Amino acid sequence: MFANLVHYGRLYLRLEAQYIKARMNYRVDFIVSSIGMIFSNIASLAVFWVLFHTIPHLAGWTFEEILFIYGFYLLAVSPAQIFFDHIWQLRYHLMEGTFIKYYFRPLNMMFYYMSEMVDIKGFAQVVLGGAVIAYASTQLGLTWTAGRIGLMILTLFSASLVVIAILVIASCAAFWTLQSYSILALAFRLREFAQYPTTIFDGFFRFLFTYIIPIGFIAFYPSQLMLRPQEASWLIYISPVVGIALFALAYLVWSVGVNSYSGTGS
Amino acid sequence: MRRYLALTKCAFLTGMVWRAHFIFTLISNLAYIVILYFLWKSIYGVSQTLNGMTFNQVFVYMTVTSSIFVLFKTWLEWQVSRDIISGAITTQLTKPLDHQLMVLSHAFGRTLNNALVITLPALAVLFGIFRASIPVGWNVLFFCLSLPLACLLSLVIDYIIGLTSFYTESLWGISTTKEIIVLVLSGGLVPLGFFPEVMRNILSYLPFQAIYHTPASILTDASLSLADYTSMLGVQAAWVIVLLVISRLFFSQAVKAVTINGG
């Protein structure tokens, strides 16, 4: 098991090193896309900034606290963005039959498929997310004790698994419909709910975003634990389980999809 | 004219094939309206008006802008870019049609698709389920007049963005940046009335507010006079003309730079 992990880890680093070298031939593209990435995230910051000119707090949360939640959100969505970006191409591979090649390597198929692409502009998002968290926690006077850093890493890990799982499940629709773009775009949009306090939603939607599509676990519940532990519900303590369970479900959906795909016949 | 209408019809019919796509885009737009509702509900809290707008006005304004956003999303710049990069543009240039009109009429067909399948249902939900209300009067008429102008403006900007592919292949970054700038500066994410005074002044000199802010505020604000409405439409029309001229100049420059790999 352990030897296996090391093997895959090494392989991944090697594959990505090659991939990044190849991409870096298009340096301007990298810079322009990073600018686009940063812009699309700054837009949300601008919205909060404009809103807090008018209101003192949002559902009881101050500007700095909302920034913290947003920073957490940026970090949580980044692993999916960087390491699982190839999901957007799945429908082309399935339609054109090029997906067949992934069956013929002695490697885990999900690993092999996802390793074919890293989204380097996603790193710009990580930098921005880190900066936002750093700014917000300084403003809030948050001290980074070892315990809190550990907690942050643990909750971020499970939050990113939630994001990855939701997107992978959405992209897997392509195994059956061959057209998953709009489903994926819907999932991508649902992700945006995560940047607001889940408490702004009432009854049905709060239930939906906590238990059915656990978007609240992407940023709000973990941030609540960091910022206002006394208000945090017991739910957050099961968050690592939520992340792992959801990822396991996504992996199951992927495996069923992979086994049911019959190629294009060419 | 009839030749271009044929293109519009063709794009419309092709678009109708992707039914599943429309269903999910519709759901995603409705989901977005749900966020807007709860977000603005909690922003308003107990206050009646903020920056001179009631909750109902802001909610209608935001729903209209987000529906317009989906309405105008025709992937025009991607189409232009694909044609330039693949070289298909060379055959298009030999046709006895104007390139810009050709692209625009095609995109217009897409807009009709969007209107029918996404925007109208979204508005039905807005007024049916959320029981939002708008003042009915001249504003509805002027809204219907300002929408095509806004659409044209948005499509022309997309066309200019698409033309950058003559020089660079990194459309994703350029197009994303454009989309965000337009959304933020035109009131697509927060009503312009919420912006600080200084910024609002600056924004009134830019073309972007004519895309989302003008139609949305015409529809929600009943206190405007006929003169206000006509001057708002005048500003829109002026921007359309300015950008059309810019885009045509840009096209005639850019087409000289065309380099196509092999063939």
Side-chain angles (χ1 to χ4, degrees):
Chain A
M1 169 76 185
F2 183 69
N4 222 346
L5 271 182
V6 173
H7 171 66
Y8 272 98
R10 238 190 241 148
L11 197 62
Y12 194 75
L13 288 180
R14 231 184 255 171
L15 286 168
E16 297 332 325
Q18 288 309 318
Y19 179 80
I20 290 173
K21 261 186 235 165
R23 291 301 306 167
M24 276 305 165
N25 276 326
Y26 306 94
R27 198 154 310 194
V28 178
D29 183 61
F30 167 66
I31 295 168
V32 175
S33 337
S34 298
I35 294 174
M37 195 78 192
I38 288 183
F39 253 100
S40 59
N41 293 321
I42 283 183
S44 301
L45 291 177
V47 168
F48 289 131
W49 181 77
V50 168
L51 281 182
F52 278 91
H53 264 267
T54 307
I55 51 170
H57 48 73
L58 177 61
W61 296 79
T62 63
F63 180 55
E64 286 77 17
E65 286 172 318
I66 293 285
L67 279 188
F68 187 94
I69 298 176
Y70 187 66
F72 196 98
Y73 160 83
L74 283 183
L75 293 181
V77 297
S78 291
Q81 177 79 40
I82 298 171
F83 304 115
F84 285 78
D85 204 38
H86 210 194
I87 54 172
W88 293 92
Q89 258 68 47
L90 185 60
R91 61 186 196 284
Y92 298 123
H93 286 298
L94 292 175
M95 243 186 294
E96 283 158 26
T98 42
F99 190 71
I100 291 295
K101 83 167 190 196
Y102 301 98
Y103 289 87
F104 297 121
R105 292 274 163 93
L107 287 173
N108 176 295
M109 271 184 75
M110 188 191 250
F111 171 85
Y112 179 32
Y113 182 75
M114 299 303 171
S115 71
E116 280 215 328
M117 205 176 208
V118 261
D119 186 37
I120 33 184
K121 65 179 182 294
F123 291 106
Q125 203 173 37
V126 175
V127 172
L128 186 68
V132 170
I133 292 250
Y135 173 80
S137 52
T138 325
Q139 292 290 313
L140 290 165
L142 212 65
T143 44
W144 288 100
T145 57
R148 188 166 267 151
I149 294 175
L151 200 62
M152 176 93 180
I153 293 171
L154 191 67
T155 48
L156 256 182
F157 174 72
S158 81
S160 14
L161 283 182
V162 171
V163 183
I164 291 169
I166 292 176
L167 292 176
V168 167
I169 291 175
S171 71
C172 280
F175 283 114
W176 294 279
T177 66
L178 290 184
Q179 251 301 319
S180 66
Y181 173 77
S182 37
I183 302 178
L184 203 48
L186 172 63
F188 208 65
R189 191 139 213 204
L190 279 179
R191 212 185 63 152
E192 287 175 17
F193 283 74
Q195 36 181 294
Y196 306 107
T198 312
T199 46
I200 67 171
F201 301 104
D202 70 3
F204 171 72
F205 287 99
R206 197 186 296 184
F207 179 83
L208 180 72
F209 294 139
T210 306
Y211 299 100
I212 314 293
I213 314 173
I215 288 168
F217 286 94
I218 297 175
F220 179 66
Y221 291 129
S223 307
Q224 206 178 23
L225 188 63
M226 313 282 280
L227 300 174
R228 300 183 182 178
Q230 66 286 0
E231 283 178 22
S233 77
W234 58 274
L235 278 169
I236 186 60
Y237 295 102
I238 60 158
S239 98
V241 189
V242 174
I244 292 168
L246 209 61
F247 185 76
L249 176 69
Y251 190 77
L252 184 73
V253 174
W254 165 269
S255 307
V256 174
V258 161
N259 286 327
S260 71
Y261 179 61
S262 50
T264 52
S266 52
Chain B
M1 190 62 198
R2 196 185 301 150
R3 289 178 298 189
Y4 295 109
L5 280 180
L7 280 172
T8 305
K9 187 178 160 204
C10 168
F12 178 77
L13 292 176
T14 320
M16 293 311 283
V17 174
W18 303 105
R19 253 162 256 143
H21 167 78
F22 280 116
I23 293 170
F24 282 100
T25 316
L26 174 63
I27 297 176
S28 124
N29 195 31
L30 295 182
Y32 191 66
I33 295 180
V34 170
I35 311 193
L36 286 177
Y37 180 80
F38 286 110
L39 179 64
W40 286 96
K41 199 92 201 163
S42 79
I43 287 171
Y44 269 75
V46 288
S47 351
Q48 285 298 318
T49 58
L50 292 175
N51 297 313
M53 291 176 92
T54 63
F55 167 74
N56 184 48
Q57 272 178 323
V58 168
F59 181 53
V60 173
Y61 181 107
M62 291 308 299
T63 311
V64 168
T65 54
S66 75
S67 306
I68 294 180
F69 174 73
V70 189
L71 179 66
F72 293 170
K73 196 149 185 70
T74 60
W75 310 98
L76 179 157
E77 71 265 43
W78 291 95
Q79 185 70 47
V80 173
S81 160
R82 249 198 313 274
D83 291 344
I84 293 172
I85 292 169
S86 73
I89 184 112
T90 47
T91 37
Q92 287 171 3
L93 290 176
T94 59
K95 288 181 187 161
L97 296 169
D98 179 75
H99 182 257
Q100 185 175 41
L101 280 177
M102 200 163 82
V103 171
L104 290 185
S105 34
H106 190 268
F108 192 63
R110 292 283 185 84
T111 316
L112 291 181
N113 278 150
N114 292 340
L116 200 64
V117 198
I118 300 163
T119 316
L120 291 180
L123 293 179
V125 167
L126 175 66
F127 297 114
I129 296 179
F130 286 104
R131 305 240 165 261
S133 60
I134 49 160
V136 179
W138 286 109
N139 59 340
V140 179
L141 173 72
F142 280 96
F143 172 75
C144 296
L145 291 174
S146 93
L147 205 53
L149 285 173
C151 178
L152 199 52
L153 191 54
S154 168
L155 293 181
V156 173
I157 293 179
D158 286 355
Y159 180 73
I160 296 178
I161 296 295
L163 290 183
T164 59
S165 295
F166 276 117
Y167 302 99
T168 162
E169 296 194 4
S170 22
L171 184 67
W172 188 90
I174 298 176
S175 161
T176 310
T177 310
K178 174 228 56 178
E179 201 155 272
I180 292 305
I181 291 179
V182 172
L183 264 178
V184 175
L185 301 187
S186 68
L189 295 177
V190 183
L192 287 190
F194 279 69
F195 279 71
E197 185 86 42
V198 190
M199 283 187 75
R200 239 181 316 158
N201 277 332
I202 301 172
L203 294 180
S204 64
Y205 293 103
L206 295 176
F208 309 118
Q209 33 95 23
I211 301 178
Y212 298 116
H213 176 70
T214 304
S217 59
I218 286 182
L219 192 63
T220 51
D221 197 345
S223 68
L224 299 170
S225 67
L226 280 181
D228 290 331
Y229 289 135
T230 17
S231 78
M232 283 165 111
L233 291 189
V235 171
Q236 276 189 311
W239 276 118
V240 169
I241 294 168
V242 168
L243 284 164
L244 267 177
V245 169
I246 294 177
S247 69
R248 297 194 77 91
L249 288 176
F250 186 33
F251 179 77
S252 58
Q253 274 305 309
V255 83
K256 289 178 199 149
V258 69
T259 48
I260 286 150
N261 302 326

